[in-house]
Amino acid sequence: MNFVRIGEKPEISRLPLFRDMDDGKRERIFSGSFLQVFPPQLTLFAAGQQSDFLYVLVDGLVELYAVSAGRETTMRIVEPVTSFILAAVVTDMPFLMSARTLVSSRILLVPAALMREVIKQDAALMQATMQELAVGYRGLVRALTDMKLRQSAERLGNYLMEQGVRLGDPEAFELKGEKRVLASLLGMTPENLSRAFGVLRDHGVGVSGSRVTILDRDRLARFSRPDPVPPDPI
Amino acid sequence: MNFVRIGEKPEISRLPLFRDMDDGKRERIFSGSFLQVFPPQLTLFAAGQQSDFLYVLVDGLVELYAVSAGRETTMRIVEPVTSFILAAVVTDMPFLMSARTLVSSRILLVPAALMREVIKQDAALMQATMQELAVGYRGLVRALTDMKLRQSAERLGNYLMEQGVRLGDPEAFELKGEKRVLASLLGMTPENLSRAFGVLRDHGVGVSGSRVTILDRDRLARFSRPDPVPPDPI
DNA sequence: TCGATCAATTGATCTATATCAATCACTGCC
DNA sequence: GGCAGTGATTGATATAGATCAATTGATCGA
């Protein structure tokens, strides 16, 4: 367990969540938090547990998953630098999701009680928390719509288009995490993910290992029918 | 278009969202808002539109639905007294969902800009908004998990158990809205909703029209495997 | 009271996706 | 360099749920 080192601060401070708040208050949060490195495939917390920390993934990759009816499903693949499990911290309710590292990860742990306390004191932090929750809410509305209305290959197509934009190069990028995790995120089996990639090959998508190339964006869009409302910025 | 009448205030003021805020500020919001009655089956707003108002359903029934890939799906059945479409208002982004009245409804319209302005001024309102979004976020996490992991009859079983508790009598209650809307909410066709009710008949559920009776709660729970983490209050 | 209308139900298929079963292709290690 | 071990792919089959097609039942107005 280490306290937050100087080198880490800038990228964490640059997060929308902490960016606009009072410097002293931010310092207070950071000095009460600690950075920890976790090995791959380690369970960080399980659904049902009391939410003792807000997590900020600084480096690595984390999977959030939910369990129900004896099976599990990936809810989110968290890429750095992002906070996660904010809603549980804000409501002071047990986690609905579990988390595990997919690769070795450096994570900032902010004590939930401290976070809740400073939120109450700092209007900018509260505002940012509110925004983050609202944006997250809308992301889930999209995800649920996607799951209810689109079929698997279309979901994959949309995911690839969005991921391309998010990662900076809409034409070509690397998939994050194993394909089986991606399959679970998209609500399908690994077998069907393979077949879905096969389908998309005829609609302007190239894949080789985890390298994805979007050869014909219009063609892919025509097939996967992206949401008319464009994605929210951050 | 009428301004908020005295008679309406108490139940709106009692909403968690407005309950704890400064009285003067609340007055400011209410005097800038108006109550309106809408006939059944009227579209209140459509996805993609700029979010000009926060809506509070005072009386009646409203359906929130999303459209994608040419089809539509019910996202939420809003019962009084509840605010809706808060995330769009907070982020000042276009609606992701459309809304229509299912029956004649009395609705409070709070101008979105006014809402955002007062949120910035009143810490208690901001806090309540944050809480509401966090609770909503968790509701969507549950809904998405449900859709991904449970099959249709189980989803129905869980819905009925929760609805019973929410409406005050876990043993017997009336379904809100038409069954076709419920089917869409639960991500199935009306035909399959009928069959799902048929399945649940062997698992402690009685139905007659829109009247649902839960004859054997344990049996139903055994079948539909409710979430181990209990639902959030409010 | 009788049709007309529309939601709900029931039955018969069809289809997207899951499941089961190999096989293939890496990756790392001895 | 070869061979476990693991993830990805491909193929064959099974199944939950959709779709199509009537039929039933309830509501409402003439």
Side-chain angles (χ1 to χ4, degrees):
Chain A
M1 282 196 203
N2 297 306
F3 289 97
V4 185
R5 278 169 292 150
I6 292 293
E8 315 287 357
K9 277 190 195 172
E11 45 193 343
I12 304 175
S13 303
R14 226 175 287 127
L15 279 178
L17 188 59
F18 298 119
R19 193 175 45 199
D20 302 323
M21 67 186 298
D22 173 76
D23 290 340
K25 293 278 179 8
R26 191 193 299 115
E27 199 45 54
R28 175 136 180 260
I29 286 186
F30 286 172
S31 65
S33 309
F34 38 91
L35 259 182
Q36 207 172 337
V37 176
F38 296 93
Q41 295 302 328
L42 188 96
T43 297
L44 297 170
F45 54 80
Q49 285 180 8
Q50 198 51 43
S51 48
D52 290 332
F53 296 100
L54 173 71
Y55 291 72
V56 183
L57 178 62
V58 179
D59 206 79
L61 203 61
V62 166
E63 176 192 12
L64 297 181
Y65 61 99
V67 179
S68 198
R71 297 186 306 163
E72 73 170 60
T73 189
T74 304
M75 297 297 283
R76 189 173 150 203
I77 298 172
V78 183
E79 297 170 33
V81 179
T82 331
S83 65
F84 55 99
I85 224 73
L86 181 59
V89 169
V90 164
T91 55
D92 198 7
M93 289 269 146
F95 293 126
L96 294 178
M97 300 186 277
S98 309
R100 69 168 72 95
T101 54
L102 293 176
V103 303
S104 175
S105 299
R106 204 156 72 248
I107 294 174
L108 178 71
L109 296 127
V110 182
L114 174 62
M115 188 69 191
R116 283 190 295 268
E117 190 198 325
V118 181
I119 284 176
K120 275 193 206 121
Q121 298 165 356
D122 188 291
L125 176 60
M126 192 187 283
Q127 167 107 20
T129 303
M130 186 183 73
Q131 285 295 332
E132 186 122 333
L133 288 167
V135 170
Y137 183 98
R138 288 166 61 86
L140 280 172
V141 167
R142 283 175 195 276
L144 184 57
T145 305
D146 201 48
M147 193 60 50
K148 288 176 81 177
L149 292 181
R150 275 197 268 254
Q151 50 195 59
S152 54
E154 294 172 335
R155 290 202 295 275
L156 176 60
N158 276 105
Y159 177 83
L160 296 180
M161 283 195 288
E162 276 174 34
Q163 198 65 355
V165 172
R166 271 196 351 90
L167 296 179
D169 183 356
E171 309 282 295
F173 57 91
E174 297 279 331
L175 294 172
K176 299 278 182 177
E178 296 173 353
K179 288 213 179 115
R180 50 204 278 299
V181 178
L182 175 59
S184 178
L185 177 70
L186 295 175
M188 57 180 118
T189 57
E191 293 94 323
N192 276 321
L193 179 65
S194 271
R195 290 185 257 262
F197 270 120
V199 170
L200 293 189
R201 218 163 249 132
D202 300 337
H203 295 275
V205 176
V207 215
S208 162
S210 64
R211 181 117 203 114
V212 174
T213 327
I214 296 183
L215 307 154
D216 188 341
R217 198 173 176 75
D218 289 346
R219 196 156 159 56
L220 178 57
R222 217 151 39 236
F223 174 79
S224 38
R225 309 220 229 166
D227 206 302
V229 186
D232 297 355
I234 297 185
Chain B
M1 279 195 202
N2 296 308
F3 288 97
V4 184
R5 278 170 292 153
I6 291 293
E8 314 288 356
K9 278 189 189 171
E11 46 193 340
I12 305 175
S13 302
R14 227 176 286 127
L15 278 179
L17 187 58
F18 298 119
R19 191 176 45 201
D20 302 323
M21 67 186 297
D22 173 77
D23 290 340
K25 293 279 180 4
R26 191 192 301 115
E27 202 43 54
R28 173 135 183 261
I29 286 187
F30 286 172
S31 64
S33 309
F34 39 91
L35 258 182
Q36 207 172 336
V37 176
F38 297 92
Q41 296 302 328
L42 187 96
T43 298
L44 297 170
F45 53 81
Q49 285 180 7
Q50 198 52 43
S51 47
D52 290 331
F53 296 101
L54 172 70
Y55 291 72
V56 183
L57 178 63
V58 179
D59 205 77
L61 203 60
V62 167
E63 176 191 13
L64 296 181
Y65 61 98
V67 179
S68 199
R71 295 186 306 163
E72 73 169 61
T73 190
T74 305
M75 297 299 282
R76 192 174 148 200
I77 297 172
V78 183
E79 296 171 32
V81 181
T82 330
S83 65
F84 55 100
I85 225 74
L86 182 59
V89 169
V90 164
T91 55
D92 198 7
M93 288 270 146
F95 294 126
L96 294 179
M97 299 185 279
S98 309
R100 69 167 70 96
T101 54
L102 293 177
V103 303
S104 174
S105 299
R106 205 156 71 249
I107 295 174
L108 179 71
L109 296 128
V110 183
L114 174 62
M115 186 71 191
R116 283 191 294 269
E117 190 198 325
V118 180
I119 284 176
K120 275 193 205 119
Q121 297 165 357
D122 188 292
L125 175 60
M126 193 187 283
Q127 168 107 19
T129 303
M130 185 181 74
Q131 287 294 333
E132 185 122 333
L133 289 168
V135 169
Y137 183 97
R138 288 166 61 85
L140 280 172
V141 167
R142 283 176 196 275
L144 184 56
T145 306
D146 201 47
M147 194 58 51
K148 288 175 81 176
L149 291 181
R150 276 197 268 253
Q151 49 194 61
S152 54
E154 295 172 335
R155 288 201 297 276
L156 176 59
N158 276 105
Y159 178 83
L160 295 180
M161 283 195 288
E162 277 173 34
Q163 198 65 354
V165 172
R166 269 194 355 87
L167 295 180
D169 184 355
E171 310 282 296
F173 55 93
E174 296 280 332
L175 294 172
K176 299 279 182 176
E178 295 174 354
K179 287 208 179 122
R180 55 210 270 308
V181 178
L182 175 59
S184 178
L185 177 69
L186 295 174
M188 58 181 117
T189 57
E191 292 95 322
N192 276 320
L193 178 64
S194 270
R195 291 185 255 263
F197 270 119
V199 171
L200 293 190
R201 217 161 251 134
D202 300 337
H203 296 275
V205 175
V207 216
S208 162
S210 65
R211 179 120 204 113
V212 173
T213 328
I214 297 184
L215 307 155
D216 188 340
R217 197 173 178 76
D218 289 347
R219 195 156 161 55
L220 178 56
R222 218 153 38 239
F223 173 79
S224 39
R225 311 219 230 166
D227 206 302
V229 186
D232 296 356
I234 298 179

